[in-house]
Amino acid sequence: MERTSSRYFAAAACGLTAAVVAGVVVLDRLLAGAGRNDLGLFGVNDLSFVVAFASASSVGTVLAFKRPSHPVGWLFLALGGSIALSGLLEGYASYGGLRNWPATAQVIAVSEELFIPWFVLLALILQLTPTGRPLWPRVAALTVAVGTLWFTASLLAPGIPGQAVLGELTAAGLVAGGFSLLVRFRRSQGTERRQLLWLAVAVVPLPVFVALAFYAADDHPVLLAIATSGFVVLIPIAAGLSVVKYHLYDVERVLSRAVTYLLVSGVLVFAFAAVVITAGRVIGGRTDSAIPAVLGTAVAVVLAGPAYRSFQEAVDRRFNRRRFDTLRVVRDYVREPTSQGVEEVLRGALGDPGLRAAYWVDDREQWVTQAGQPVDTGPDEIEVRRPGRAVARVAVGPAVDRDLAEAACGQALPELENAGLRAAISLQLVEVQESRARIAAAQLTERRRIERDLHDGAQQRLLALALNLRAAQLNGRALPEAVDRAIAELQGAVGELRELANGLQPALLSDAGLGAAIDDLATRLPLPVEVHATDQRFPAPIEATAWFVVCEAITNAVKHADATRVDVDLTAAAGVLVVRVGDDGRGGADADGSGLRGIADRAEALGGSLRVTDRAGGGTIVTGELPCE
């Protein structure tokens, strides 16, 4: 969104500059019609300012669209606009003086001082090239402050003492900008050194041109024009040549696209014209027929896609080798996948070892890694989409060209989709493994509980019974008394075994069905339970799982929710048994607690699901859905 809005601003700036130039042309024609031929297009008889405007505006436009976050593009646009504005004000002053237009004197005053912003803009361009950050921030800030003060003083209080000093300080800031670029050039290596070479050459005579400009300011207008154009023209031209030749400011992609569109447009126009002419000759003298235009349009539409791809590949191979090589690696992989994963291929193609991808799983509505692990994604990641749905999000490092990364991810879309399918399967496997591990752990815990309860309860009673009977036999005590005690101990053991069995599946479940077993359970609970259950029978695993869902939900309502009432509903429709248990307690049940998580695992093992939600007005609703066909 930010990049798009920046491009809108760039387009608006270019449109405004074009409007200013159009105004200059109109005024120039008006002056020519009035017999004033002493003024050129920009207020001077020198083509150098036309070249300065064209080069500065061109470089600024390309940079503003390609690198909207880089300040140099906007500075070049401002420089081109200020040069155009100078011509517009000169034309207004000249023609307005003939026609008595208002504010002519004020326009003349502004136009005479409009060269001052050129010094400041050029100084900032040199100090911010190529990184966008000044080598000496204080010098850059001081140059802007002094130049603004000089321009303001020249407009509001011309001739006051100190203006010459302000001008010299601003000029010193421009020279300092050239010196900072030479320092960067000396420190640079490889590609960056080649990028800065022509600009470094252009700024070497900068002190001489600045000194000549100040010397010729009042008495030598021709020398002033030559000296000023020496830096106003050379710096934008040198920057433009570096952009074209060595891709200064990383704008090669824009250039390659522009060349591609130009070539494709030429081919389509030629094809359209050829078809229209040929069809017109075949049809003959029927000048009102739309058939040639329709045929020409159809041919152009058919040729557009293949022509664009062919030319873009050829242009990228020549002007943007980095992009060409990257996309070729990805295309080759998509055509003939290897044992490498798509993420590994993108890492190698983009030169980003930290690249990672996340894949969208629709039915779970979450992002996961290729291994099926849930992952959080950021808003700055590249999202790869099919119409109407997301496929993947790719995170790249800050050093990677985002446009290139987006193009590479777009080329890799088919393999990213395949990786997403594998990620969804991996997610299911991970969940199955985790569910099995939890079920195994729960079974082991339950087994140990039962063993402990048997050992500490019924087993101890039965062992004591055996010892008492043996003692009675050995001591010769009266057997009736021993039998009475044995009966009491057996009754206690039976009671403990019954209590223990309450936590297990009751025999009534298999004999009479799910509804009868729940009705029996409800009669032994300390709070009212309303049961609405179908009489339909289901497979034993389904009935056992539904039983445990009901038991766990009721146990939570009694122990933790302070409920005063529980409702149990069991319905079957469309091959699904729906178990719904609601209470009027305080709510807030933890779906990831050991008990609810355990019965959720049981439900999922059968292909079902379990949901835990808060009920409006207070309470909890546990809903299990179990496929029963």
Side-chain angles (χ1 to χ4, degrees):
M1 182 64 70
E2 181 180 354
R3 193 178 185 88
T4 302
S5 61
S6 298
R7 286 175 174 170
Y8 285 146
F9 282 123
C14 294
L16 181 60
T17 302
V20 172
V21 173
V24 173
V25 174
V26 170
L27 289 172
D28 187 69
R29 295 301 91 197
L30 291 174
L31 285 168
R36 290 290 305 274
N37 295 318
D38 57 320
L39 292 172
L41 183 60
F42 287 96
V44 292
N45 284 316
D46 196 342
L47 187 60
S48 61
F49 286 91
V50 179
V51 176
F53 159 75
S55 58
S57 299
S58 300
V59 174
T61 299
V62 170
L63 271 176
F65 277 91
K66 165 61 180 172
R67 297 285 304 279
S69 61
H70 202 299
V72 170
W74 302 101
L75 293 173
F76 269 119
L77 277 178
L79 177 61
S82 65
I83 295 174
L85 181 61
S86 175
L88 180 66
L89 296 181
E90 287 282 351
Y92 182 93
S94 299
Y95 191 73
L98 299 176
R99 302 298 183 186
N100 294 320
W101 283 0
T104 302
Q106 290 79 1
V107 170
I108 292 175
V110 173
S111 65
E112 289 178 348
E113 307 300 335
L114 202 58
F115 71 94
I116 297 176
W118 301 352
F119 281 77
V120 178
L121 292 171
L122 285 169
L124 290 178
I125 287 171
L126 295 176
Q127 293 189 43
L128 297 176
T129 297
T131 63
R133 296 182 299 275
L135 193 61
W136 305 311
R138 293 182 179 178
V139 174
L142 186 62
T143 301
V144 174
V146 173
T148 303
L149 184 59
W150 182 24
F151 185 63
T152 304
S154 300
L155 290 178
L156 301 180
I160 65 171
Q163 286 194 34
V165 176
L166 293 175
E168 292 169 359
L169 290 175
T170 305
L174 175 59
V175 174
F179 185 67
S180 72
L181 189 135
L182 290 176
V183 172
R184 290 183 192 265
F185 173 74
R186 182 176 178 83
R187 295 175 180 176
S188 62
Q189 295 178 351
T191 301
E192 183 177 328
R193 189 176 183 85
R194 291 193 296 272
Q195 290 175 339
L196 296 178
L197 176 60
W198 289 356
L199 272 173
V201 172
V203 301
V204 167
L206 186 60
V208 176
F209 285 127
V210 171
L212 283 176
F214 274 86
Y215 168 75
D218 298 321
D219 303 324
H220 305 83
V222 176
L223 184 60
L224 175 63
I226 294 174
T228 306
S229 64
F231 53 86
V232 176
V233 175
L234 286 181
I235 292 175
I237 289 180
L241 292 175
S242 295
V243 165
V244 174
K245 182 65 176 176
Y246 296 115
H247 315 313
L248 180 64
Y249 309 117
D250 190 25
V251 296
E252 66 274 9
R253 188 180 71 85
V254 172
L255 294 176
S256 67
R257 287 291 178 88
V259 173
T260 301
Y261 284 125
L262 181 63
L263 293 174
V264 171
S265 299
V267 169
L268 296 183
V269 169
F270 176 80
F272 178 83
V275 171
V276 170
I277 293 173
T278 303
R281 291 180 177 178
V282 172
I283 292 174
R286 294 180 56 192
T287 59
D288 59 341
S289 176
I291 294 178
V294 172
L295 291 176
T297 302
V299 170
V301 170
V302 172
L303 289 178
Y308 176 80
R309 288 190 291 271
S310 299
F311 280 118
Q312 185 66 68
E313 183 173 345
V315 171
D316 282 345
R317 184 187 293 111
R318 173 63 183 86
F319 295 104
N320 194 350
R321 191 71 188 190
R322 167 66 171 150
R323 178 183 175 88
F324 174 78
D325 290 339
T326 298
L327 298 185
R328 182 183 61 183
V329 169
V330 178
R331 281 196 299 266
D332 291 345
Y333 173 75
V334 171
R335 282 195 292 263
E336 297 182 8
T338 63
S339 58
Q340 288 183 305
V342 63
E343 294 180 40
E344 188 176 354
V345 172
L346 288 174
R347 290 188 192 106
L350 294 171
D352 181 13
L355 180 145
R356 59 179 178 81
Y359 306 93
W360 179 249
V361 181
D362 278 327
D363 56 346
R364 305 300 172 84
E365 294 187 350
Q366 65 180 141
W367 294 97
V368 299
T369 65
Q370 194 165 3
Q373 298 293 337
V375 64
D376 294 328
T377 60
D380 296 331
E381 296 181 6
I382 298 170
E383 184 164 300
V384 185
R385 302 180 59 87
R386 286 288 190 189
R389 66 183 181 90
V391 174
R393 281 183 177 174
V394 181
V396 297
V400 177
D401 185 324
R402 189 172 180 86
D403 290 330
L404 179 58
E406 290 176 354
C409 292
Q411 291 285 344
L413 176 57
E415 284 304 311
L416 287 172
E417 282 187 305
N418 293 336
L421 295 175
R422 291 191 291 269
I425 295 173
S426 298
L427 173 62
Q428 294 176 352
L429 292 176
V430 168
E431 291 179 343
V432 168
Q433 291 171 351
E434 292 177 349
S435 177
R436 286 179 176 177
R438 287 192 298 267
I439 291 174
Q443 289 176 341
L444 181 59
T445 301
E446 186 66 16
R447 177 178 176 179
R448 289 175 177 173
R449 184 188 68 82
I450 294 173
E451 290 175 349
R452 184 177 62 253
D453 290 346
L454 287 172
H455 178 272
D456 297 341
Q459 180 178 338
Q460 295 298 325
R461 285 182 175 273
L462 294 175
L463 180 60
L465 172 61
L467 292 175
N468 287 335
L469 289 175
R470 175 65 67 184
Q473 181 183 29
L474 294 176
N475 294 334
R477 291 187 300 176
L479 285 180
E481 182 181 352
V483 170
D484 290 339
R485 291 183 179 179
I487 291 172
E489 291 293 335
L490 286 173
Q491 288 175 341
V494 169
E496 289 184 2
L497 289 173
R498 183 182 293 112
E499 292 178 359
L500 178 63
N502 283 336
L504 304 177
Q505 177 179 329
L508 189 61
L509 179 63
S510 57
D511 295 338
L514 187 58
I518 295 176
D519 285 334
D520 179 67
L521 174 65
T523 61
R524 294 183 277 109
L525 292 173
L527 75 172
V529 177
E530 179 113 7
V531 180
H532 300 279
T534 176
D535 294 332
Q536 183 179 347
R537 295 301 302 269
F538 306 97
I542 299 297
E543 290 189 339
T545 301
W547 163 260
F548 285 115
V549 169
V550 172
C551 289
E552 181 64 30
I554 292 177
T555 299
N556 283 342
V558 173
K559 289 185 176 181
H560 307 298
D562 295 331
T564 61
R565 177 184 178 83
V566 175
D567 297 309
V568 179
D569 293 295
L570 290 90
T571 58
V576 176
L577 171 62
V578 180
V579 181
R580 183 178 180 277
V581 182
D583 65 64
D584 61 353
R586 57 171 171 261
D590 183 9
D592 293 324
S594 60
L596 291 174
R597 183 66 260 177
I599 60 173
D601 287 337
R602 287 178 180 269
E604 291 169 2
L606 296 176
S609 63
L610 187 82
R611 298 193 309 276
V612 181
T613 58
D614 288 337
R615 188 166 65 175
T620 301
I621 298 176
V622 178
T623 305
E625 296 183 357
L626 306 172
C628 53
E629 287 186 356

